[in-house]
Every structure is written in structure tokens, then in C-alpha cells.
Amino acid sequence: MQGLRISPGLLPPECERLRAEVRAFLADALAEVPRAQRVRNWSGSDPEFTRKMAQRGWIGMTWPRRYGGHERSSLERYVVLEEMLAAGAPVGAHWVADRQSGPLLMRFSPDVLAPRIVPQIVRGEAFFCIGMSEPDSGSDLASIRTRAVRTSDGWLINGRKVWTSRAHRAHYMIVLVRTGERGEDRHAGLSQLLLPMQTPGITVRPIVNQLGDHDFNEVTLDDVLVPHDHLIGAEGEGWRQVGTELAFERSGPERYLSSTQLLLEMLDAADADDPRHAVALGRVVAHYATMRQMSLGVAGMLARGENPALAAALVKDQGALVEQAMPDLAHDLFGDTVEPGSPLEQAMRYTTLAAPSFSLRGGTREILRGIIAKGLDLR
Ligand SMILES: Cc1cc2nc3c(=O)[nH]c(=O)nc-3n(C[C@H](O)[C@H](O)[C@H](O)COP(=O)(O)OP(=O)(O)OC[C@H]3O[C@@H](n4cnc5c(N)ncnc54)[C@H](O)[C@@H]3O)c2cc1C
């Protein structure tokens, strides 16, 4: 049995010094941002804010200097991320690139694509979207139908991607395509390509979510041609590479810190003399403290170069449970008294509509539990 051990994380003193620096930066940078806007958390995006973070050296923090990175520790990066999320900073523009696209390029195209693209990410100038899901392939990515054919001029891509978050604002997509036949191994024949979003043949159509926001899209690819060297890693290795990418995607503190504004509003509105408030909010805060220890444990695993896939699946699954319970709790505690239009009411409204997606995006609850069960040799 592989077993599961997540050592509680401890932060060294340099992290606490950095935390003070980040808090001072946020107090200034977010001074004019109303509380109701902070509820969007990492779904909110502001390229100007991203550039300010880049100037501070807080994008590509752990990456090698040869790509423009800052060679700081994973734990220092963790502190920056958790402070950004706790404050509801609009970090969405660079989030995907910093979390997974940059690391993927450095690992699988270290000499060709990474030297060209990664410095742009570090400067806060290149935003990425994830081209995995398709209309009939979400959890079962092995069944994707978007196809790329090697021609003398480059890779010719045809197909359709869906639920592509921020494709309308991204400079690049990392697209999962079929380049060969499946054969007996249904995971064979997949590859990843770098797709500049201004390439002819790409059409991005908005899909408005139940909040009324335009966040994700349908992206159709009609005879889209990219150069041969836009292949990331090896042809046919897409399945293994996507596994690596998803481990990055699931390992961060955003998987339990998406709804911090609602928690802060509830704490603000709580009546210290009401035992119902004390018990219910005390329990949530205890859950947060536990999630934080587990999440820091995952950051520690990344720092030690260990594979955090199993632990990250557990943190994401449990984090979604904690966050999805919060809107009901808020309605139970404050539903009768909340003032219409107040920051608490706006946070309740937003989080009630946003929370169902927390156990879908980045892998559904059932898929994560399958990974956990497999990792524990339970299936
Ligand atoms: C807010 C948001 C943002 C997203 N952004 C992106 C993005 O940027 N890029 C991108 O590529 N995708 C994105 N997605 C898509 C997301 O990854 C998929 O929705 C998710 O993987 C599920 O795929 P699906 O919607 O096709 O559902 P399906 O895979 O059809 O699943 C439907 C239901 O069946 C269950 N199920 C499926 N297979 C199994 C199984 N083997 N065992 C048990 N139960 C199973 C699922 O858990 C789910 O409950 C986003 C989704 C959301 C909600």
C-alpha cells in the first residue's frame, strides 16, 4: 500500500518576513478595491495588478534564473499565494501560467519553448489557458477528438475545446490533441502543443456561467497551423505529461481558499454573544486551520521534489467540501438578518452560485476520490 502521509507544514522565519512585505503591498494595491469585488478571488483578473506582482518578483518565484525566475523556495511562494487568496486579490490573469504552464514548458521543452516563453510569464506579459476538456470528454480525457496532423509546414490542428477559462484573455493555450491512434492502450497517441491564441483558425465563443459572468469559452480550431517545434515534450506522451500538469493544477492553496471573503464577512457580522455563531464559525475556522496544515504539507512535498498527486487530490476534495458548505452555513446564520446589498449579502449571493463549480473544475469529486482510493490501494 502506497499510504498517505502529509506532514504538517512549518514555515521558516524568512517566510514570515515575506508575509509582512506582501501584506503591506496588498494594503496599498487593493486599497480602492471594494469588498464585494474581492469575493471573485482568483477568478478575478487584472493585468495591471499582475504586472505589479511581477515587478515584485512574485511570478515564477521558484523558477531558475536562466528563465528569468527568482529561485526562491516553494514555501515562500506558498506565503505569497495564501496572502493573495486571503485578500481576494485579482490574480487570475497569470494564475494558470504561474501554476502549471510555465512548469510544464520548463520540464518538457527546456531548450526550445521555455527560453522563449517563460521569461514573458515572469514579466507578467503572457497569460495561458488550458485546452483539455471537449464537449464529450471531460473526466475521460483519453477520449478527446481534437486532432493534430504533422505536415511539412507544421502541426495542423482541427477540433473543439470547451469550458476553456479565460481563453478570451489568454495569449497562449496548451492544447491536448490526438496525434496517433489509440490502439490497445487507450492513453496512447496523445500529445500537447503550444498554441498562440492569435493564430488564424481559432474562434473563441463565450459561455456565460450561472453568475452571469463570461469566464469560460468554447474554442474551435479550424485548420490551425503551428510550427513543428511547438510540440511540448515527446509525441504520444501527452497522457503522462497531462498527469504531471494536473498534479500542479490541484496542489495549490486556492483549492480551499476560494471563498475567504465570505468567511471574513461572516466573522465581521457574527454576534460574539450568540453561541450558535461561536460554535458554527469556530468549526469552520478549525476546518480552515486543518486544510492549511495539509496544504502546507503539499507545498513541503513540492519543495522536497516529491510527487504530491495523491495528497493534492485529497486537499482539493476536502477543500471543496469545506468551501461548498459555507453558503448554507451563511444562510442558516444570517439569512434572516442580512441587509440587502451589504458586503455579506453580496458575498453570500456570489459564493452560493460559484461554489457548485468547485467540485468540477480541476477534476470532479468522483475522479479525485478514484485517485485517492487507487493511491491507498483501495481499488
Ligand atoms: C469553473 C470551471 C472552469 C473550467 N475550466 C476549464 C479549463 O480552463 N480548461 C479545461 O480544459 N476544462 C475546464 N473545465 C472543465 C472541467 O475540467 C470539466 O468540467 C471536468 O473535468 C468534468 O468534465 P465534464 O464536464 O465533461 O463532466 P463528465 O466527465 O461528463 O462528468 C459528469 C459526471 O460524471 C462523473 N464521472 C465521470 N467519469 C466518472 C468515473 N470514471 N467514475 C465516477 N464518476 C464519473 C463526474 O464526476 C461528474 O459528476 C472547467 C470547469 C469548470 C466548472
Side-chain angles (χ1 to χ4, degrees):
M1 174 157 152
Q2 182 183 335
L4 177 65
R5 182 179 295 273
I6 309 179
S7 314
L10 286 176
L11 291 172
E14 69 267 21
C15 284
E16 296 309 332
R17 281 195 294 276
L18 176 60
R19 185 187 305 286
E21 194 189 323
V22 179
R23 284 190 181 174
F25 163 81
L26 285 169
D28 181 46
L30 299 186
E32 306 298 323
V33 178
R35 280 150 68 171
Q37 208 169 307
R38 296 182 188 211
V39 79
R40 295 180 59 76
N41 202 288
W42 59 286
S43 296
S45 103
D46 174 358
E48 198 40 50
F49 183 82
T50 284
R51 271 186 278 280
K52 283 186 190 166
M53 274 188 70
Q55 281 161 11
R56 292 282 178 141
W58 293 338
I59 300 177
M61 276 183 79
T62 61
W63 302 350
R65 287 201 196 283
R66 81 173 176 112
Y67 298 121
H70 303 286
E71 297 191 359
R72 297 184 77 165
S73 72
S74 299
L75 295 179
E76 286 177 294
R77 175 167 183 264
Y78 188 92
V79 166
V80 173
L81 296 189
E82 76 171 351
E83 289 299 325
M84 293 292 155
L85 295 165
V91 287
H94 64 273
W95 197 258
V96 164
D98 186 52
R99 177 181 70 190
Q100 65 195 80
S101 317
L104 190 85
L105 291 173
M106 289 185 289
R107 183 151 177 185
F108 295 112
S109 189
D111 301 319
V112 180
L113 295 173
R116 280 190 238 155
I117 311 289
V118 172
Q120 297 175 40
I121 298 176
V122 176
R123 291 197 300 272
E125 292 168 2
F127 308 149
F128 275 67
C129 60
I130 305 166
M132 294 186 193
S133 306
E134 296 187 4
D136 297 316
S137 314
S139 303
D140 182 19
L141 281 177
S143 66
I144 58 154
R145 285 186 288 194
T146 295
R147 182 169 282 278
V149 178
R150 188 192 279 272
T151 69
S152 54
D153 296 328
W155 293 97
L156 192 64
I157 313 166
N158 279 287
R160 189 148 63 111
K161 295 290 170 181
V162 77
W163 314 125
T164 323
S165 301
R166 301 190 203 97
H168 55 305
R169 300 203 187 101
H171 303 98
Y172 299 99
M173 173 192 285
I174 290 183
V175 62
L176 182 67
V177 292
R178 179 154 290 289
T179 47
E181 295 315 317
R182 276 216 245 179
E184 293 207 342
D185 175 3
R186 60 192 307 274
H187 299 138
L190 299 176
S191 303
Q192 287 183 299
L193 293 167
L194 177 75
L195 198 61
M197 291 301 285
Q198 75 281 11
T199 313
I202 302 178
T203 308
V204 178
R205 293 188 188 89
I207 303 176
V208 174
N209 65 22
Q210 65 177 1
L211 284 152
D213 292 341
H214 172 199
D215 217 12
F216 43 38
N217 302 272
E218 177 197 58
V219 182
T220 46
L221 308 169
D222 296 307
D223 285 338
V224 176
L225 187 70
V226 296
H228 289 127
D229 68 4
H230 278 218
L231 177 71
I232 300 167
E235 185 175 342
E237 285 294 305
W239 181 260
R240 188 175 60 83
Q241 294 176 197
V242 157
T244 310
E245 190 180 344
L246 287 171
F248 288 125
E249 182 168 347
R250 293 169 181 155
S251 63
E254 73 271 30
R255 298 308 180 180
Y256 79 101
L257 287 176
S258 298
S259 309
T260 43
Q261 195 59 34
L262 179 56
L263 178 62
L264 295 175
E265 297 299 350
M266 284 199 286
L267 291 171
D268 228 29
D271 177 352
D273 296 326
D274 184 337
R276 246 171 31 105
H277 286 188
V279 170
L281 292 174
R283 186 169 289 138
V284 177
V285 171
H287 280 146
Y288 264 81
T290 311
M291 292 309 309
R292 179 165 189 262
Q293 283 299 307
M294 290 169 66
S295 179
L296 263 170
V298 172
M301 292 173 90
L302 282 171
R304 292 189 296 276
E306 297 167 17
N307 180 353
L310 173 58
L314 189 73
V315 176
K316 180 181 181 301
D317 180 51
Q318 292 301 303
L321 275 181
V322 171
E323 294 211 290
Q324 286 180 331
M326 294 234 296
D328 278 351
L329 182 74
H331 283 280
D332 279 354
L333 296 180
F334 304 102
D336 294 338
T337 52
V338 67
E339 213 177 291
S342 65
L344 173 61
E345 194 257 353
Q346 294 187 54
M348 282 165 68
R349 187 146 36 89
Y350 182 91
T351 311
T352 301
L353 291 173
S357 74
F358 298 172
S359 53
L360 295 173
R361 64 185 186 188
T364 67
R365 171 161 292 139
E366 290 73 19
I367 294 302
L368 292 171
R369 291 192 175 174
I371 293 171
I372 295 164
K374 216 168 178 176
L376 295 175
D377 269 353
L378 297 173
R379 60 169 248 198

